[in-house]
Amino acid sequence: MQGNGEHQANDDAARAAGFASPFDRTEWFDLLAAHGFAGEGRIDASGRANGTAAWLPLRIEAPGDLAGLTNWYSFAIRPLFSGGRDRHNALSALFRDLRTGGARLSLYPVRDEDREEIVSALRGAGWWVKTTPAGDRHWLDLGEMDHEVWWASRPGALRSTVQRKAKKGVVDIQLITAFDPGSWAAYEQIYAASWKPEEGDPALLRAFAELESVRGTFRMGIARIEGVPVAAQYWTVEDGTAFIHKLAHVEDSLKASPGTLLSAALFRHVIEVDRVKRVDFGTGNDGYKRDWMNRHDPLWRIEAFNPSRLAAWGPALKAFARSMLRKEN
């Protein structure tokens, strides 16, 4: 197994694996490790074959027990590639190397389009593999649609709400493209007064927002009623994609629909100004996401067990037994 720093992510590698994401970069994994999400240690696993390099950041949960370096803010985990085109053998080499010290490996959340490549490489490297659907992903594929065509495709009730509430002029919308402490404080105030559970790691989220602002990808919207902040959203944009990270509104402002108006304004901005072709709503199957998005895919949990390690046999038997029980029911 390779130690921390053996191989670093970059935007070119992220694009080679599909469109780039903020959750593919070294800075993101450094943040997770710095804020205590690396368990008992971080491993930057790597493998090479025929000029192709594969890289996958992991954490040690217990001796021999490895998992993708993610937390609840992560939209996905996937291997990244650079160099040549032999992705399968490079990734297989990575997973073969992990077998020297790993008994068990868990990856979540894995997107539907990445699952087959990971599973094939794991099996080729000699791991027992189990995949389980574990969540949902809603996203918008604009294709050749501009904002007006996309908006006309949205449910009539949503379009009517935006039109009626905007006409009343009760809600003021501010869009921000660079981090500033005052706006972030307004977001935190709104979040604390919203229906959302307590923020998991506000310091990490703020540090992430500050990094994205430096990169020029930061987008934030704040809705106010009579000067009082009542709704806020934090997005980023890069490589033709907008990522919706956080949104919240104050409960007693619902009649004015500030969250809906704010979403409409941000969608218009990222489509017309940033020229994105995709919008990713992250993990979760919240019903309101369907109103804005046109694609829905499952997310997966991949569990792999090393048959050469006795410590993997018990967990593997339990995992496959649970799978059989679910099929029978």
Side-chain angles (χ1 to χ4, degrees):
M1 291 185 290
Q2 301 298 325
N4 184 29
E6 287 292 323
H7 192 84
Q8 301 298 319
N10 56 63
D11 289 345
D12 290 340
R15 291 188 182 97
F19 64 85
S21 160
F23 305 107
D24 292 328
R25 287 195 304 277
T26 299
E27 294 87 350
W28 171 247
F29 300 113
D30 290 346
L31 271 180
L32 290 179
H35 286 262
F37 292 97
E40 296 186 8
R42 171 179 169 180
I43 294 173
D44 285 340
S46 63
R48 291 181 175 273
N50 301 317
T52 304
W55 178 74
L56 182 64
L58 304 171
R59 67 172 176 266
I60 302 171
E61 300 204 311
D65 193 352
L66 309 174
L69 183 52
T70 61
N71 74 350
W72 52 82
Y73 297 125
S74 303
F75 283 21
I77 182 74
R78 62 177 175 175
L80 295 181
F81 302 90
S82 60
R85 298 183 179 181
D86 195 354
R87 292 162 56 124
H88 175 79
N89 285 322
L91 190 55
S92 294
L94 183 155
F95 289 137
R96 277 195 302 273
D97 185 59
L98 280 181
R99 286 188 60 190
T100 62
R104 182 181 179 184
L105 172 65
S106 176
L107 298 175
Y108 171 82
V110 175
R111 295 181 309 186
D112 202 43
E113 62 262 37
D114 299 320
R115 175 179 57 126
E116 184 176 346
E117 179 175 60
I118 295 171
V119 169
S120 176
L122 279 165
R123 288 178 173 153
W127 294 78
W128 293 335
V129 183
K130 176 179 175 290
T131 62
T132 308
D136 301 87
R137 172 190 176 220
H138 289 271
W139 61 290
L140 171 62
D141 181 7
L142 282 162
E144 298 303 315
M145 291 188 288
D146 62 14
H147 177 268
E148 297 308 318
V149 173
W150 163 75
W151 186 238
S153 73
R154 296 302 85 212
L158 175 64
R159 290 184 284 115
S160 176
T161 295
V162 171
Q163 183 178 25
R164 287 185 294 104
K165 302 295 184 177
K167 188 180 294 185
K168 292 183 177 181
V170 173
V171 179
D172 294 319
I173 302 294
Q174 178 189 17
L175 300 184
I176 306 158
T177 58
F179 181 93
D180 75 84
S183 297
W184 194 259
Y187 157 73
E188 292 183 326
Q189 173 188 333
I190 293 162
Y191 191 95
S194 75
W195 79 103
K196 297 276 190 173
E198 183 177 353
E199 185 64 78
D201 194 318
L204 184 154
L205 188 65
R206 176 174 176 145
F208 172 52
E210 290 173 337
L211 280 173
E212 292 301 300
S213 180
V214 172
R215 297 183 65 246
T217 66
F218 177 94
R219 304 291 182 269
M220 174 169 272
I222 299 177
R224 293 178 172 87
I225 297 177
E226 296 182 351
V228 179
V230 293
Q233 298 186 19
Y234 164 45
W235 298 31
T236 60
V237 293
E238 66 178 285
D239 195 23
T241 303
F243 299 86
I244 305 177
H245 300 283
K246 302 294 292 187
L247 69 170
H249 61 259
V250 177
E251 285 295 296
D252 60 10
S253 68
L254 280 175
K255 288 184 179 179
S257 301
T260 302
L261 292 176
L262 189 53
S263 291
L266 279 161
F267 271 92
R268 179 182 287 276
H269 181 90
V270 299
I271 294 171
E272 291 189 342
V273 178
D274 294 313
R275 302 293 183 182
V276 303
K277 289 298 183 181
R278 298 167 295 267
V279 182
D280 196 329
F281 227 135
T283 62
N285 198 28
D286 310 85
Y288 65 84
K289 294 182 178 181
R290 299 184 183 92
D291 290 343
W292 302 93
M293 305 304 188
N294 60 10
R295 297 287 297 272
H296 172 227
D297 300 324
L299 291 168
W300 296 86
R301 184 182 305 279
I302 297 177
E303 294 177 274
F305 306 91
N306 182 355
S308 67
R309 298 287 298 274
L310 288 177
W313 283 58
L317 289 172
K318 290 180 181 178
F320 287 109
R322 286 196 303 269
S323 180
M324 292 300 295
L325 285 173
R326 277 195 293 268
K327 288 180 180 180
E328 291 176 2
N329 294 333

